[in-house]
Amino acid sequence: MGTKRPASDAAAAAAAAQASATRRALGEPTRFAIVQYLHTADRAARVDELAQAMSVHHNAIRAHLNVLMEVGIVERERAAGLARGRPAWVHRLTPEASAVWRGSAPQEELALMLLDVLTTKRSPREVGRERGAELAAAVADELVADQPGDAGPGDAGPGDAVSGDAGPGGRARRVLEVITRDLGFAPRTDPAAPHVILLRHCPFAAAASQAREIICGLHLGVAEGVCRATGDALSVAALHVADPHVGPCRLELA
């Protein structure tokens, strides 16, 4: 009779197989270029857009995207209805792949804020507000040239950040969505509840499970600091924290 493989060995073998499949997927130049394009665009893209950007036939792009979806790097969904008939598929990096591709920036940001809490003895929320204002100032200039309607058909998926600046609080919401995306939270707006931003991915899940008041307090403060810094008619009403392994956190704006 054969011996049963320990669970730890099985998990290690599965992880090794996944890593190997990911390396093979990214080892093909066009697939690597697709991932780079989606990362740089920081939004969903249609097959025709990717085909034009890669100078590759649509069918080849679809085949490459299927491989990337199989290894968990890319996900797809229906685009917002821009024309009659069934909306086209759009593709984006998964939250996990986006966080890895982004590198250590979110973790470095968290480390700096935690260091500030330790050295200044201020509350996490106070430190977060100050950092949120700084981040808002850093990205605000990048958005000045953006105009609603610049994006062409297929340039954004349903509920995608970032929408236009129109309406009360539009600019603050736009800046907030950019910052939460840069921090690795994979924000999405709910068309049925535009005042709610869903934070689909927590890049600090392990830390938050041990010190939720500190980690979540910092990022609640960041959101509040962003809204205050923009001087827009928008504020943070609440942050509803969820188990990151169960569902998204909900950032409610007012």
Side-chain angles (χ1 to χ4, degrees):
M1 294 180 63
T3 58
K4 187 176 180 180
R5 176 179 289 185
S8 59
D9 289 351
Q18 176 65 30
S20 178
T22 300
R23 285 194 297 271
R24 288 197 301 272
L26 293 175
E28 203 286 328
T30 301
R31 288 197 287 269
F32 188 85
I34 290 172
V35 174
Q36 280 191 312
Y37 183 90
L38 292 174
H39 168 68
T40 301
D42 208 10
R43 56 172 171 75
R46 297 195 315 191
V47 169
D48 56 352
E49 177 186 348
L50 294 171
Q52 182 177 2
M54 306 293 124
S55 298
V56 175
H57 192 274
H58 292 57
N59 290 338
I61 290 294
R62 291 189 182 94
H64 287 311
L65 287 169
N66 286 337
V67 173
L68 292 171
M69 285 190 289
E70 287 175 4
V71 297
I73 296 175
V74 167
E75 61 186 7
R76 75 173 184 175
E77 60 195 7
R78 290 293 183 184
L82 299 172
R84 294 180 180 178
R86 179 177 294 182
W89 289 110
V90 292
H91 296 78
R92 69 173 74 249
L93 296 185
T94 63
E96 295 77 11
S98 182
V100 171
W101 211 258
R102 187 177 292 105
S104 60
Q107 286 72 25
E108 291 175 356
E109 194 66 59
L110 175 62
L112 289 172
M113 288 192 291
L114 289 172
L115 183 61
D116 199 343
V117 170
L118 289 173
T119 56
T120 66
K121 306 301 182 183
R122 293 184 296 167
S123 72
R125 201 162 170 178
E126 288 176 309
V127 170
R129 285 174 186 148
E130 180 178 89
R131 186 56 183 148
E134 294 170 351
L135 291 171
V139 303
D141 290 343
E142 300 174 10
L143 302 178
V144 169
D146 289 353
Q147 297 294 331
D150 282 350
D155 280 355
D160 244 8
V162 176
S163 56
D165 293 346
R171 181 170 178 77
R173 184 180 289 105
R174 184 177 174 84
V175 174
L176 183 58
E177 289 171 342
V178 170
I179 289 173
T180 53
R181 187 168 57 195
D182 288 347
L183 289 175
F185 288 104
R188 298 290 300 282
T189 54
D190 183 351
H195 64 290
V196 174
I197 298 178
L198 301 177
L199 306 177
R200 300 180 301 145
H201 174 70
C202 180
F204 317 109
S209 66
Q210 300 296 318
R212 176 173 293 186
E213 290 186 3
I214 296 176
I215 305 303
C216 299
L218 281 168
H219 292 99
L220 172 57
V222 167
E224 292 173 333
V226 169
C227 289
R228 293 181 183 182
T230 58
D232 215 340
L234 193 72
S235 62
V236 177
L239 173 63
H240 299 284
V241 178
D243 183 333
H245 304 293
V246 176
C249 295
R250 292 168 54 89
L251 184 63
E252 291 190 6
L253 308 174

